Amino acid sequence: MAAGDDARARIQRFLVTGDNRLKQGVAPEKVRESYEQALAVAREAGLEDAVRPLVEVRLADLDKASGV
């Protein structure tokens, strides 16, 4: 698997983990951590511009759900 493919798979895994944690009612800090990890991997792989909007939407939804 190419490095870019590996990064994309890791990003997807972190996003899905965050989504699942949110649905399961896990602590908002853990959900946020998953999304931020996805963004960190994207940054390292040079994919931040493509991933940041996805993460921002999820974080905004998380903030609404947790009353922030």
Side-chain angles (χ1 to χ4, degrees), residues 20-41:
N20 288 339
R21 285 177 167 175
L22 183 61
K23 289 176 191 171
Q24 295 167 357
V26 174
E29 300 82 35
K30 292 299 243 177
V31 177
R32 179 177 298 281
E33 179 181 300
S34 295
Y35 294 148
E36 289 176 350
Q37 286 175 316
L39 191 56
V41 171

Side-chain angles (χ1 to χ4, degrees), residues 6 8-9 11-14 16 20-21 25 27 29 33 35 41 49-50 52 56 58-59 62-64 66-67:
D6 180 54
R8 284 180 179 84
I11 292 164
Q12 182 178 10
R13 204 165 30 249
F14 282 126
V16 170
N20 288 339
R21 285 177 167 175
E29 300 82 35
E33 179 181 300
Y35 294 148
V41 171
D49 289 341
R52 178 174 289 285
E56 286 177 349
R58 284 172 164 86
L59 290 174
L62 177 63
D63 288 344
K64 280 189 228 173
S66 62

